[in-house]
Amino acid sequence: MNSVASGSSVSGLKKTGRKRSTAALAVVGALAVSLLVGSPAVADSTSFDIAVGTAPHDIAVAGNGDVYVATDSGVSVIDADTRKATTVDVGGIAQGVATQGSGRAYVSVAGKAGANGSVVIVDGATVVGRVKTGPDPRAVAVNEVTWKVYVAYSNGITVIDPWAGHSAVDIPYYNSTPRRMVIDASRNKVFVPIGGVLTVIDGQTNDKTVYVFGAGNAVDHAVNTRTNEVYRTLAGSFIDSPQSQVGLVDESNHASNLYQANDTFGKVAVDSWTGTVYVESLGATGNSSVVLVNPPTRSKIAQISLPSQPTSLAVDSTRHRTYATLSRGGVSVIDSSNTSVVVRTGAQPVAVAVHEYTGTTYVANSGSASVTVIQPADPQPVKNDFNGDRNADVLARDGSGALWLYPGDGAAGWLDRRQVGQGWNIMTALLAPGDFNGDGKSDILARDNTGVLWLYGGNGAAGWLPRVQAGQGWNGMTSITGVGDFSGDGYPDVAARDSSGVLWLYPGNGKGGWLTRVQIGSGWSGMTDILGVGDFNTDGASDVAARDASGRLWLYPGNGAGGWLPQVQYGQGWNGMTAVFGPGDFSGDRKPDVMARDSSGALWLFSGSGGAKWPIGSVIGQGWNGMTAIL
């Protein structure tokens, strides 16, 4: 099989947010570049402020969307649905907060009247436990793999193990209270920078290793959760050691220098999808900025000036936005085009947290006892979300031609099905390309028995807009599938195989129409199924999967510019499946999945893991053999 595009020309269109740098596929006609491919993004809009306890100073968002705010009055819990805050008395001043799983939070509390500190376990607005720590506990961090909780106190770290009855172990050493901890869950390591010293704690044994950096001070660490790379900043002194450094920490916990400058480096954050590292930088004259560093080239991408010194730094890796709260008020939002705008906040913003699934950002304002809620101006549509709840759904046509919506619950389960159409048995092909017409809602393309292709625009509420003809002459195609943004221009595309086995890419124009088609392969007639699976290997580019006649399943990774990387066999024995399709992220872990129906009518979910290893399947339904199409 030849998977290389033949006879295609290339142009210099650049797609940002890709791990690889490749030329984009040339297309004919006007090309409107989307927000995530380098054009200036619409500024985030401040929605409203929520009153919380006195002097909020730390904030965290749980997986269910609830927000926990550490304040002098206790912990304020903002309900994800009502957006109202309830302040819970935790027996002292809430110092630091971190969330675990979907909704639970761990809050460090300085005891009253000199009493020893503790960590209070809060679930919603209810205190469900308390664990003693060392004195004056501050920062809290959670390992999302082991679920162990790490609490920095006045001269050490308390480690809490939820699996052992919340037993606590103290690791003493420090002369002052650590203000920052970063966890590399893949290596089970905890990085604790303080002054010129870095302590690395082994999460398995609780053993610690101390590193001293001489004239430089270890300021901060950040973890790329997708590649598991750890970055650290080392701040130099304008007098003793003027060079500050950004380093990549290796398996031995030593850092190789990626970038250095005469400014003083501070906080660091990383976009886990693009790999870009964001570094707080303070110049000799007091000017503040954020330096963007590209680790592979060990070079500076850009340096963005800030109105005042940042008090915290956070990255939304899904939408490629970086938030820097500013000491003089406001938050600077840096978008994917490296353009910065300042959005209003309350007084004295000190901490920021992003719910990456929804893109909602929360800023704790110490001076106004409030949390500013910032909504993304352009939330990205969820593939196969037909009812508007931002969970992937499944559509199925039964033998009578009725079309049914099976809403997903966002956690690999189902809500009640509902009929969303009838008379669909005249359609010879159905596919879900995503938001094909550019209105932010998932759509359907359907080919009728005369070869006409119709666009059924979704209305975002389990219904359809009036259908629009999107093409004709498609009866010569033996397979049609939505392949996401395969060309790299920001718009969903369609791939189709003709009767000779040639695979064609039909790039969408983002408005319900097409750019000029391009051949992207030949020899595909041996494939019994071709399906778009989104960015299945999590390298930033859309991929295609195909099943051959012998039952082997192959992944054809896209290169992000309308071409291919080497194919990978992902399994065998798939000839027992009577339907295979890609619904998007049905399991709710933000990684695309694959579904398949076997000969008994059982529906299987293969939850994508984002890597080369094929996931283990699980049955999520029975009785699907009556369906003539599933997408």
Side-chain angles (χ1 to χ4, degrees), residues 13-16 18 24-25 27-40 378 380-381 383 432-440 443 445 481-495 505-516 534 540-542 560-562:
L13 289 173
K14 182 180 179 182
K15 172 77 172 181
T16 62
R18 293 283 189 243
L25 190 66
V27 292
V28 178
L31 180 63
V33 183
S34 75
L35 293 177
L36 294 183
V37 290
S39 63
D378 56 340
Q380 296 301 297
K383 185 182 185 300
D435 175 23
F436 194 73
N437 61 7
D439 65 356
D443 307 320
L445 288 168
T481 185
V483 291
D485 175 22
F486 193 79
S487 65
D489 64 359
Y491 305 124
D493 308 318
V494 169
L505 181 71
Y506 290 81
N509 66 3
K511 302 176 182 178
W514 309 97
L515 303 174
T516 302
S542 292

Side-chain angles (χ1 to χ4, degrees), residues 141 143 148 150 157 159 174 180-185 187-193 198-203 206-209 253:
N143 186 320
K148 285 186 177 180
Y150 295 83
I157 302 291
V159 184
Y174 307 97
R180 174 78 163 158
M181 293 178 292
V182 175
I183 296 176
D184 178 5
R187 298 185 219 171
N188 202 6
K189 305 287 186 183
V190 184
F191 296 86
V192 189
L198 168 68
T199 300
V200 180
I201 299 173
D202 187 304
N206 290 333
D207 292 337
K208 64 179 184 292
T209 306
N253 301 320

Side-chain angles (χ1 to χ4, degrees), residues 365-378:
N365 307 303
S366 178
S368 56
S370 65
V371 168
T372 300
V373 182
I374 302 173
Q375 298 280 18
D378 56 340

Side-chain angles (χ1 to χ4, degrees), residues 320-334:
H320 313 301
R321 286 190 173 95
T322 301
Y323 296 86
T325 55
L326 303 172
S327 57
R328 295 179 184 173
V331 57
S332 182
V333 184
I334 304 169

Side-chain angles (χ1 to χ4, degrees), residues 439-461:
D439 65 356
K441 302 174 179 64
S442 292
D443 307 320
I444 289 179
L445 288 168
R447 179 185 63 187
D448 66 23
N449 50 20
T450 68
V452 174
L453 192 67
W454 297 93
L455 171 64
Y456 290 82
N459 66 3

